[in-house]
Amino acid sequence: MQIFDTIESLRSYLLQQKQQGKRIGFVPTMGNLHQGHLSLIKQAKSQSDVVVASIFVNPTQFSVGEDLERYPRTLEQDQTLLIEQGCDVLFIPEVQTMYPKGELTRVSVKKISNLYCGASRDGHFNGVTTIVCKLFNIVQPDVAVFGSKDFQQLAIIRQMVKDLMIPVDVQAAPTYRADNGLALSSRNGYLTEEELAIAPAIYQILTWAKASVQNKQSQAQIEKDAQAKLVQAGLRPDYFHICHADTLQAATDEDTHLVILVAAYLGKARLIDNITFEI
Ligand code: AMP
């Protein structure tokens, strides 16, 4: 695996690859890689000739008081996993490379960036769209793979790519779950053993809510009951919303393509998950 930490060196390597007619796949991450990330690499590999992963803990997507400093950084282990998965290129820029002195620009997708996670995490999605736009401009991939686990993030990136006419095919990879249903996440590492036993309740409650929506029960009541179930399980709900899967607006009785989005606090972690379905 080729490793680069400067924009120039990565660009010059990728230019050679592109000149040979190679198709570039891209998977941006913040590192501390797990099977969820690796499933994205695998999907990118199936769609391209050269797979580029990036590891960058992006400061602008963390709000004040969040876990930027203690976010797990496990570069050596990540490199081993990427090599095992057959990743071709790893980009690991420093903060000053991505945000050089004097930079002034932020990329902001209006409306959907302020909903749900954006309402709880001030400026979070502007940080995400800014860094993903920069990375897209550096790598210029043919295809980029993002996890459905971060459903709102995926919707916002798709909107950005469409609005800014960025020539990249954005693909979604399914959420990778442990056998007990818990969506893999770097933030699961913050959980104690006791909390790890509680966390799978999130997916159980999503599954229950999906069945209840399909059984035509009142959506407002389902949202209320789901929050109560989260509390009963030992979590502190941030939000639980039944939405239209494309617009992310609150679902109406006529909508058929739905997603349920949830965020909840558990110990030192804030966990998110979702479930999509048709009715
Ligand atoms: P992160 O390192 O948390 O920024 O995530 C990098 C990419 O991995 C994003 O596209 C995430 O949606 C994706 N990802 C994280 N966890 C999972 C998971 N459990 N299943 C699938 N994709 C995931």
Side-chain angles (χ1 to χ4, degrees):
M1 184 172 68
Q2 303 273 340
I3 302 177
F4 300 99
D5 61 4
T6 67
I7 296 170
E8 298 71 28
S9 59
L10 176 66
R11 273 204 174 130
S12 114
Y13 178 80
L14 289 177
L15 184 62
Q16 285 169 22
Q17 301 299 312
K18 286 173 195 172
Q19 281 169 347
Q20 291 169 28
K22 304 256 175 82
R23 201 174 139 80
I24 310 295
F26 181 44
V27 178
T29 81
M30 297 207 300
N32 191 236
L33 303 182
H34 50 64
Q35 289 301 320
H37 297 110
L38 299 178
S39 70
L40 271 53
I41 301 282
K42 197 171 167 194
Q43 184 163 328
K45 246 185 120 53
S46 73
Q47 311 277 316
S48 54
D49 306 304
V50 176
V51 174
V52 182
S54 64
I55 294 181
F56 181 67
V57 182
N58 175 33
T60 63
Q61 70 187 70
F62 288 78
S63 312
V64 178
E66 286 191 345
D67 55 345
L68 173 62
E69 272 79 34
R70 66 190 167 95
Y71 196 86
R73 288 154 171 95
T74 53
L75 185 57
E76 250 180 64
Q77 181 190 311
D78 293 350
Q79 287 182 18
T80 308
L81 290 171
L82 288 170
I83 291 168
E84 281 171 11
Q85 198 62 49
C87 181
D88 303 291
V89 176
L90 173 60
F91 182 48
I92 39 169
E94 297 286 341
V95 172
Q96 53 270 35
T97 301
M98 298 310 291
Y99 296 99
K101 206 163 167 261
E103 60 92 30
L104 294 171
T105 305
R106 290 291 173 271
V107 178
S108 166
V109 174
K110 296 193 172 107
K111 279 192 175 168
I112 41 174
S113 291
N114 297 326
L115 300 171
Y116 316 129
C117 280
S120 313
R121 306 184 67 192
D122 192 27
H124 167 66
F125 286 118
N126 290 350
V128 170
T129 42
T130 299
I131 197 65
V132 171
C133 187
K134 284 173 187 252
L135 289 166
F136 280 172
N137 283 331
I138 295 167
V139 177
Q140 300 186 19
D142 297 285
V143 52
V145 184
F146 291 85
S148 300
K149 162 159 183 288
D150 298 272
F151 194 89
Q152 188 180 4
Q153 168 174 286
L154 178 61
I156 290 169
I157 288 168
R158 286 205 153 119
Q159 185 77 45
M160 173 187 78
V161 162
K162 184 168 165 235
D163 293 350
L164 296 184
M165 297 143 192
I166 303 176
V168 59
D169 173 14
V170 172
Q171 293 198 356
T175 302
Y176 196 101
R177 299 180 182 282
D179 290 342
N180 61 17
L182 177 63
L184 296 201
S185 164
S186 303
R187 290 192 166 98
N188 293 350
Y190 298 150
L191 301 176
T192 63
E193 218 164 287
E194 200 182 319
E195 289 159 356
L196 274 170
I198 294 173
I202 297 175
Y203 188 59
Q204 287 159 15
I205 294 166
L206 278 175
T207 311
W208 166 83
K210 170 186 158 182
S212 306
V213 174
Q214 287 175 324
N215 288 335
K216 305 275 176 218
Q217 289 169 31
S218 145
Q219 294 186 6
Q221 191 61 44
I222 296 166
E223 289 179 349
K224 209 167 145 223
D225 292 350
Q227 300 229 15
K229 283 177 188 286
L230 285 165
V231 172
Q232 210 170 19
L235 292 126
R236 189 160 64 83
D238 178 2
Y239 62 78
F240 191 100
H241 290 298
I242 304 165
C243 310
H244 188 289
D246 295 327
T247 64
L248 300 194
Q249 300 299 315
T252 66
D253 289 340
E254 287 77 50
D255 291 338
T256 55
H257 183 39
L258 301 183
V259 61
I260 305 177
L261 301 171
V262 57
Y265 297 93
L266 180 59
K268 292 195 177 74
R270 180 178 178 281
L271 304 175
I272 60 169
D273 202 348
N274 67 82
I275 195 166
T276 45
F277 57 100
E278 308 291 324
I279 44 171

